[in-house]
Amino acid sequence: MARRLDGRSALRRIDGLIADARGQLGEAIAAADELAQELTEVRREQASAYRDLAAIQLGEADTPAEIAELENLDRDVGALMADHGAYLKALLEDLEAASAEVAGLERARRDAAEALDAAVAAYEAKVDAVEAELEEDEAYLEQAKALADAEAVAEKARAKLALARSDMEDKGAVFRGDPLFMYLWSRRFRTPDYEAGNLVRFLDGWVARLCNYDGAYRTYERLVELPEWLEEHVAAMERRQGEAEDDLAEAEAAALTEAGADALAEAVDSGRAALEELDAGMASAEARHLEIAAQHTAAEQGAAGPADEARQRLANALKQRGIPDLRVLAAQTVTEEDDALVDRLVILRKDEMAMELRLERDRGLPSERRSDLAQLEAFRRSFKAARMDSSYASYRASDVEDVAARMAAGRMAPRDGVRRLKRGMRRASPRTDPRFGGPRRARTMGLPDAAVGIGLEILKEMGRSSGRSGGFGLGGGVPGGLPRGRRTSRRPPSFPSRGRRGKFKTGGGF
């Protein structure tokens, strides 16, 4: 059997993947920063070597002015790189602080989620006790029976309406396919609404005999009028069902209030509000972290900060001193010292070219890691917004891993990842019937959105097919054999109960 994760565990796994992605972003920034600094240092060494070589060969290779220029360049670049180092260090400190803030909020949210689960458990225990007491109350059982009767009547009315519409489509096709009959029908022939002169009446009567209109129009009239009448009947029965459900919900809500459940519900609502506040804070902290990372990447690449000027000055100064010049200098050397300097310049040039290639290859890595992190964080926000981190939801562990891997690789959008997990989501059985006490219960419990929406359609069909056998919908039982399925078009989606006291299972994953 495939390993599954509940909503809280799935969120913790996503948190772990995001922490890994945040660490990878930091490593990519640090690696690119180190390489860029090494390249700058190599170019400084090149400038220094040229200066020393020019001093040895004064009057042959460079003039005193050129030597002074190289000395000034080395001094200025050193100062600029020192300034840039401080600039990068400040950005890194800000980045680490932003990362620590996100991590701290993640820990705080996990603690708040655990506290919320405890508050929900306390609330549900109280509801369970109240529900048990009401199932022994005769007045409440009478209200439940009234609702069950109203549901049964409304369901039968809907079934009759569906049959009447089917008959209208199937049996009425013969009448609608006869152009003579439909001509007379459109003129309301043989009804008080029919109006025509004597000649037209004579001709219409002749047409009626041709198509046997008098023997058929009453039948077609019943086919047309029956669905219209039944629609009104269904609406009336559903209003009666809604009123019965309102009465039962009011009785349940009053019992919960009397038992002190409202205070527990308010504690749950407060806990959920605290969770939402933490989520908002996390979103802001994540945005700050990504913004600082973008600033640091731009600075590291020389697009911002003092390093940009330093690199440009070094590059311009060294443009005129390439490998061909080194060959000329090598031929002009007369001492071991200047030979060593030329050899050093050759090695530095090779190192510079290798670093330039590596820097060009890896220049986009921090941006890629930043994009990966942004994708995962957007997915986590959508996951929580849909209440899919509910402890009542569960997912295949392999689905969570696969979705996260696809998004981190840029092969899946956050909204598609949420949809993928929703399709494989299962909802655990709550301790009590979520409909007990009215629509507030489901919201207070924090049931996942997809379970409410998709589950309603599944359970609607299951209730119709298994209602007569004591399962869902019309046949679900409570003490005394009273049906407990409660559903109306006027109320939010709800889940049917099975057996006693709201203990139920859907029998499928949704």
Side-chain angles (χ1 to χ4, degrees):
M1 183 176 180
R3 184 170 66 93
R4 300 191 69 84
L5 299 173
D6 64 25
R8 298 294 191 222
S9 299
L11 181 60
R12 284 195 294 272
R13 181 61 186 132
I14 295 169
D15 288 344
L17 294 172
I18 288 175
D20 292 342
R22 198 178 299 120
Q24 291 172 6
L25 171 59
E27 292 172 1
I29 288 175
D33 187 32
E34 182 180 356
L35 182 59
Q37 291 186 30
E38 289 178 2
L39 178 58
T40 301
E41 189 59 34
V42 165
R43 287 174 176 167
R44 284 188 65 192
E45 290 187 35
Q46 285 179 309
S48 178
Y50 274 116
R51 181 199 61 202
D52 294 343
L53 187 61
I56 293 173
Q57 298 183 336
L58 184 59
E60 300 178 22
D62 289 327
T63 66
E66 290 174 324
I67 295 174
E69 180 184 349
L70 288 170
E71 289 177 344
N72 292 335
L73 175 66
D74 185 64
R75 183 181 62 256
D76 293 345
V77 166
L80 287 169
M81 292 310 298
D83 292 344
H84 192 72
Y87 178 72
L88 286 179
K89 182 179 179 182
L91 280 177
L92 278 173
E93 289 175 352
D94 290 344
L95 185 66
E96 291 171 358
S99 180
E101 181 183 7
V102 175
L105 288 169
E106 289 171 345
R107 290 191 297 271
R109 193 191 190 280
R110 285 193 289 272
D111 293 341
E114 291 178 2
L116 175 61
D117 288 344
V120 169
Y123 174 62
E124 289 304 289
K126 176 65 72 174
V127 173
D128 193 32
V130 172
E131 188 177 7
E133 291 178 3
L134 286 180
E135 287 176 352
E136 305 298 328
D137 184 277
E138 291 298 327
Y140 175 78
L141 293 179
E142 283 298 320
Q143 286 181 300
K145 183 178 184 303
L147 173 59
D149 291 344
E151 283 182 329
V153 172
E155 185 65 25
K156 289 177 182 178
R158 285 189 288 267
K160 289 179 181 179
L161 175 58
L163 180 60
R165 286 172 174 168
S166 177
D167 285 345
M168 174 60 186
E169 290 299 318
D170 298 339
K171 297 178 181 179
V174 176
F175 299 92
R176 292 190 295 273
D178 187 334
L180 297 180
F181 176 85
M182 292 308 296
Y183 160 74
L184 295 174
W185 175 261
S186 65
R187 293 180 57 78
R188 305 300 296 152
F189 189 66
R190 296 288 191 246
T191 71
D193 298 331
Y194 177 69
E195 295 180 358
N198 292 333
L199 178 60
V200 175
R201 285 177 180 271
F202 171 78
L203 292 174
D204 284 348
W206 176 68
V207 173
R209 290 189 294 274
L210 288 177
C211 66
N212 191 27
Y213 183 83
D214 290 338
Y217 90 94
R218 291 289 186 190
T219 301
Y220 187 66
E221 186 176 49
R222 285 193 295 272
L223 288 173
V224 171
E225 292 179 349
L226 186 58
E228 297 175 357
W229 180 84
L230 284 175
E231 285 177 0
E232 296 178 359
H233 178 63
V234 167
M237 294 304 98
E238 287 185 342
R239 283 195 298 272
R240 182 183 299 176
Q241 176 185 343
E243 291 168 358
E245 182 166 344
D246 289 342
D247 291 342
L248 192 65
E250 287 175 6
E252 292 169 348
L256 289 172
T257 299
E258 185 178 353
D262 287 355
L264 295 174
E266 290 174 2
V268 173
D269 293 341
S270 296
R272 183 158 288 110
L275 212 60
E276 292 172 356
E277 185 177 352
L278 284 168
D279 285 338
M282 284 178 62
S284 298
E286 288 166 354
R288 284 195 300 274
H289 177 265
L290 290 175
E291 181 181 359
I292 295 170
Q295 292 174 356
H296 186 278
T297 299
E300 176 274 319
Q301 293 178 354
D308 185 25
E309 182 182 353
R311 290 172 189 172
Q312 290 296 328
R313 291 189 60 180
L314 279 172
N316 292 334
L318 298 174
K319 276 181 182 179
Q320 300 176 355
R321 294 175 170 83
I323 294 296
D325 297 316
L326 295 179
R327 291 174 181 170
V328 173
L329 288 175
Q332 296 174 344
T333 56
V334 294
T335 67
E336 292 182 0
E337 185 178 359
D338 55 12
D339 283 341
L341 285 171
V342 172
D343 292 341
R344 178 60 179 160
L345 284 168
V346 172
I347 294 172
L348 289 171
R349 178 55 181 160
K350 290 180 180 179
D351 290 345
E352 179 188 28
M353 293 176 65
M355 288 180 184
E356 286 175 342
L357 290 174
R358 286 173 56 196
L359 190 61
E360 185 64 29
R361 182 193 63 195
D362 299 339
R363 185 177 294 276
L365 191 57
S367 296
E368 292 174 9
R369 293 288 181 264
R370 192 170 65 252
S371 177
D372 295 343
L373 176 59
Q375 286 282 89
L376 285 170
E377 289 176 340
F379 168 66
R380 180 170 64 180
R381 288 192 293 273
S382 298
F383 185 85
K384 292 185 294 187
R387 297 198 297 274
M388 293 172 66
D389 63 323
S390 169
S391 56
Y392 292 108
S394 73
Y395 314 88
R396 286 188 293 270
S398 57
D399 285 351
V400 176
E401 298 286 353
D402 182 60
V403 166
R406 287 176 179 271
M407 281 188 299
R411 291 185 284 116
M412 180 177 284
R415 63 179 180 276
D416 295 329
V418 169
R419 289 172 185 165
R420 163 80 180 278
L421 290 184
K422 276 186 177 181
R423 287 196 296 269
M425 183 175 68
R426 292 182 184 174
R427 192 184 72 97
S429 300
R431 181 172 182 173
T432 56
D433 185 348
R435 297 163 303 171
F436 184 87
R440 177 184 176 183
R441 281 284 318 293
R443 291 194 299 271
T444 298
M445 292 171 67
L447 295 176
D449 287 351
V452 173
I454 301 172
L456 174 65
E457 298 304 319
I458 296 174
L459 294 171
K460 183 177 180 182
E461 296 304 319
M462 294 178 69
R464 289 177 177 175
S465 63
S466 62
R468 294 184 179 85
S469 61
F472 298 93
L474 298 176
V478 295
L482 299 179
R484 281 297 302 256
R486 303 208 302 274
R487 180 171 58 249
T488 171
S489 59
R490 294 175 54 192
R491 286 192 169 273
S494 57
F495 293 89
S497 62
R498 179 178 182 180
R500 292 177 58 87
R501 310 269 305 277
K503 310 300 191 294
F504 69 94
K505 293 185 185 236
T506 65
F510 61 88

